[in-house]
Amino acid sequence: MKRVLIIEDDMDIAELERDYLQFNGYKAEIAQDGVLGLKKAMTGMYDIIVVDLMLPQKDGFEIIREIRKKLEIPIIVVSARNDAIDKIRGLDFGADDYLTKPFSPAELVARVKSHMKR
Amino acid sequence: MFRPSRRHFNSKRHNQCDDKCFSTFQRIHLHHHREFHKYHQYFRYFRPAFVLFNILILYLLFNWVGFKGIGIFFAVVISIKEIIYFIFMLRLEKRIFTPIEKLKLGVDEISKGNYNVKVECDVPNDLGLLIYSFNEMAQKLYESERIQNEYEENRKTLVANISHDLKTPITAIQGYIEALLDENIKFQGDKDKYLKTIHHNTVYINKLIDDLFLFSKLDMQKLDFAFESVEIGTFMDDFMEEYKFDLEEKNIQFQYISDLKQEYRVNLDGKRFHQAFNNIISNAVQHGPENDLSIRIKMYLQKDYICLAIEDNGYGIAEDKLPHIFERFYRIDIERKKEYMCTGLGLAIARELIEAHCGEITVSSKEKQGTCFTIKLPILQEYRDESTT
């Protein structure tokens, strides 16, 4: 079973993402802050990472940069920041996809599936 | 007759010419002006007298020396005249033309939108006064532009923060409704939880909008206050009784102590003060431990101020976070933000409300020991002499 790490500080959204992913056959875990999220990600136990940009302690951009130094796993950014500059920055740092809030959880699952197939 | 020297003028002008120096300069200049006009009225007789005098000199020279003398006379007169003219033009250039040119450059800069200009020109005349006024005007325009830019930046940041803070609960609401409508997903067991989450997020959005509305009114100074003179001791006694019941119901230990030896009056809008106080207490409850939380309020006198110290035994605030806690949207504990309706504006609103009362609010904290917010309210003027005796 593929494992997904969700790095999201808002528990309502994190649980929604987890529930949808689990229903679609993924095993999902939540990390509520940037430091814990990065620590979990670097263990290499996950097949895909879904990360918010505005996190406490460490922001999403930094996490993506750190992960990319060591791992090549797919990273999907989920953020309320809708500016092109944020999308460009996220993708430049190494994210594979960028989803803006509010988003459809079904769309998130579809994107996760798409990246897992590659 | 009093003649102000240039040295006197220069010493006043070069010491940054504050209002006192400037009004002194104006008085001196006006005096000089009056004196000049007083004697100028006699100049209209001077020219014909000078012409007659010249004719007399010419006649005498012609008699004594002949045409040669007249020629030498004219040569000398013309030379003197040219020298005087040259000196006059130099002074005119220095005192009139150059300052006007500098002023014109300053005006051009202002018309281009560059308000950070200062015309450097010390001339002891009306033009000097005009330049001084121009520099003042430029400085005020510059300050006004700077404040406007600051407001614009703050507004952009606020809009970005609002956008983010509204999108997050909307995402949750949209997502959970989609999940409930999705026939492919069987959330039978979690349906109530999803509906509660949707409800909770809509309540949170409503609170956020209310806080934003209040904060924006405060920011634009458009919030109406109904100030009245109240006896602070009596007011606080009643006020604290309400809190005692509320907090004890939540198993929070509450204590109120007043160190005032007599009654004092302060200017207070009861409703707004209640709001500010409530935000501080809510903050203590939200960020404190779930069990054994205690809140202690002490009222005491400090010179011309009534101080209210609100102390809790919570987790405290880290030193690096302390300077930011009154900033809007700043949250220390992200996890609890929606659970306890924490919009990040509570303390910012509290500070604005207290400052509207001409008071101030400060905070001190030690991690793992607790936090103390202190509100200072000024005692009404007529009671201040009593407070110092």
Side-chain angles (χ1 to χ4, degrees):
Chain A
M1 196 184 275
K2 300 283 185 187
R3 294 185 71 170
V4 183
L5 175 63
I6 299 165
I7 311 176
E8 168 66 64
D9 61 305
D10 188 287
M11 270 314 281
D12 291 336
I13 295 175
E15 283 175 0
L16 177 68
E17 289 173 2
R18 182 194 60 195
D19 289 351
Y20 249 83
L21 287 164
Q22 282 181 173
F23 176 74
N24 282 278
Y26 297 96
K27 190 165 169 11
E29 282 176 38
I30 297 170
Q32 269 197 286
D33 68 73
V35 169
L36 180 63
L38 182 60
K39 198 175 161 187
K40 282 190 164 190
M42 296 303 248
T43 57
M45 286 163 42
Y46 301 93
D47 301 294
I48 189 164
I49 294 169
V50 176
V51 60
D52 185 12
L53 285 181
M54 291 177 78
L55 292 165
Q57 299 187 45
K58 217 181 231 313
D59 75 16
F61 292 122
E62 234 178 293
I63 291 169
I64 296 166
R65 197 170 46 205
E66 294 293 320
I67 292 172
R68 277 291 172 254
K69 283 180 187 171
K70 214 177 148 190
L71 303 167
E72 283 303 317
I73 52 175
I75 300 174
I76 300 177
V77 169
V78 174
S79 177
R81 288 160 82 157
N82 202 15
D83 290 339
I85 187 73
D86 294 313
K87 292 179 187 174
I88 291 166
R89 208 172 152 210
L91 294 166
D92 268 349
F93 276 131
D96 296 283
D97 209 339
Y98 196 110
L99 202 51
T100 51
K101 290 177 185 175
F103 61 90
S104 160
E107 186 185 345
L108 172 67
V109 169
R111 287 177 189 245
V112 166
K113 278 184 182 166
S114 164
H115 286 289
M116 289 294 207
K117 278 179 195 166
R118 292 179 198 160
Chain B
M1 183 183 75
F2 172 71
R3 287 188 190 278
S5 69
R6 189 173 174 78
R7 192 177 65 241
H8 178 82
F9 167 73
N10 275 343
S11 67
K12 294 290 181 188
R13 288 290 281 153
H14 282 292
N15 286 336
Q16 304 301 315
C17 210
D18 59 19
D19 285 343
K20 200 179 165 187
C21 290
F22 180 65
S23 63
T24 308
F25 164 63
Q26 258 191 318
R27 275 203 315 276
I28 294 163
H29 183 70
L30 283 169
H31 176 85
H32 181 66
H33 228 67
R34 278 195 296 271
E35 290 289 319
F36 177 77
H37 282 296
K38 191 174 157 187
Y39 293 99
H40 185 70
Q41 61 184 318
Y42 299 113
F43 281 172
R44 57 184 165 177
Y45 302 119
F46 187 69
R47 207 171 261 186
F50 188 70
V51 168
L52 284 170
F53 177 72
N54 277 339
I55 293 169
L56 178 65
I57 297 291
L58 279 167
Y59 175 72
L60 288 173
L61 275 172
F62 179 71
N63 274 337
W64 293 336
V65 187
F67 281 112
K68 198 175 171 185
I70 292 171
I72 293 167
F73 170 78
F74 273 112
V76 168
V77 164
I78 288 166
S79 301
I80 291 170
K81 194 201 91 174
E82 287 303 313
I83 291 167
I84 291 170
Y85 179 74
F86 177 72
I87 293 167
F88 175 74
M89 285 306 292
L90 263 179
R91 276 178 77 85
L92 194 69
E93 188 169 341
K94 194 176 175 186
R95 291 193 174 209
I96 305 291
F97 296 148
T98 304
I100 287 176
E101 207 175 303
K102 285 185 180 178
L103 192 59
K104 188 188 168 300
L105 288 171
V107 168
D108 286 343
E109 285 295 308
I110 297 256
S111 69
K112 283 180 204 165
N114 174 22
Y115 301 130
N116 190 18
V117 295
K118 189 176 180 195
V119 176
E120 299 286 353
C121 203
D122 292 336
V123 283
N125 58 25
D126 288 322
L127 210 47
L129 294 174
L130 177 64
I131 288 170
Y132 179 81
S133 298
F134 173 82
N135 286 337
E136 270 208 330
M137 178 198 75
Q139 197 187 359
K140 280 181 182 156
L141 281 170
Y142 179 67
E143 264 307 301
S144 168
E145 192 193 34
R146 191 188 60 79
I147 290 167
Q148 202 155 336
N149 286 343
E150 212 176 283
Y151 276 137
E152 188 56 27
E153 279 308 309
N154 280 345
R155 192 192 62 81
K156 282 181 187 168
T157 309
L158 185 65
V159 168
N161 284 337
I162 291 167
S163 171
H164 176 266
D165 277 36
L166 280 172
K167 278 188 175 184
T168 304
I170 287 171
T171 303
I173 292 166
Q174 182 181 313
Y176 281 109
I177 289 174
E178 205 176 296
L180 287 167
L181 293 171
D182 194 334
E183 288 172 359
N184 294 326
I185 296 172
K186 293 181 176 52
F187 288 120
Q188 304 300 325
D190 291 327
K191 201 173 171 183
D192 279 345
K193 179 197 159 195
Y194 279 34
L195 288 171
K196 276 180 188 164
T197 306
I198 291 165
H199 178 257
H200 179 81
N201 276 280
T202 53
V203 171
Y204 173 74
I205 287 176
N206 191 44
K207 172 104 184 21
L208 180 61
I209 291 167
D210 283 343
D211 278 357
L212 281 168
F213 188 61
L214 177 62
F215 188 80
S216 72
K217 273 194 151 184
L218 279 164
D219 213 24
M220 291 188 294
Q221 295 170 351
K222 285 191 175 162
L223 187 66
D224 292 326
F225 285 85
F227 287 108
E228 50 185 5
S229 162
V230 301
E231 288 178 346
I232 191 67
T234 314
F235 178 85
M236 285 303 292
D237 285 342
D238 294 336
F239 193 28
M240 293 297 102
E241 275 297 313
E242 292 173 28
Y243 270 105
K244 193 171 167 3
F245 290 123
D246 284 341
L247 294 174
E248 281 176 357
E249 268 184 4
K250 293 174 187 166
N251 292 322
I252 296 169
Q253 291 170 44
F254 177 76
Q255 191 186 17
Y256 167 62
I257 302 163
S258 172
D259 268 358
L260 299 183
K261 303 280 183 289
Q262 62 176 86
E263 192 61 88
Y264 294 98
R265 281 189 169 267
V266 297
N267 226 15
L268 208 66
D269 177 331
K271 179 183 165 191
R272 299 299 175 199
F273 182 74
H274 191 289
Q275 234 166 348
F277 209 87
N278 199 48
N279 285 358
I280 297 167
I281 298 286
S282 299
N283 199 66
V285 170
Q286 281 164 23
H287 293 98
E290 294 201 12
N291 301 311
D292 300 323
L293 174 65
S294 74
I295 294 174
R296 187 167 158 266
I297 296 168
K298 186 178 168 188
M299 181 161 67
Y300 56 94
L301 181 71
Q302 192 180 73
K303 287 187 186 171
D304 294 328
Y305 289 88
I306 296 292
C307 296
L308 291 156
I310 305 156
E311 219 174 309
D312 65 58
N313 65 339
Y315 300 116
I317 302 167
E319 213 175 303
D320 59 320
K321 292 182 174 138
L322 213 51
H324 303 290
I325 62 161
F326 290 111
E327 288 172 10
R328 54 193 176 200
F329 294 113
Y330 188 79
R331 298 187 189 93
I332 296 165
D333 189 354
I334 298 289
E335 293 170 15
R336 296 182 176 218
K337 68 170 190 235
K338 282 194 284 172
E339 191 186 336
Y340 291 95
M341 294 292 132
C342 178
T343 60
L345 288 170
L347 290 179
I349 288 170
R351 182 172 69 172
E352 294 285 329
L353 289 171
I354 297 296
E355 285 179 356
H357 283 75
C358 301
E360 62 177 271
I361 180 167
T362 53
V363 63
S364 61
S365 186
K366 275 197 177 149
E367 276 189 280
K368 295 176 189 170
Q369 285 186 34
T371 305
C372 179
F373 285 89
T374 306
I375 297 172
K376 282 170 78 168
L377 294 170
I379 300 170
L380 278 175
Q381 191 68 40
E382 54 267 34
Y383 293 87
R384 284 192 183 176
D385 293 332
E386 293 175 27
S387 74
T388 54
T389 56

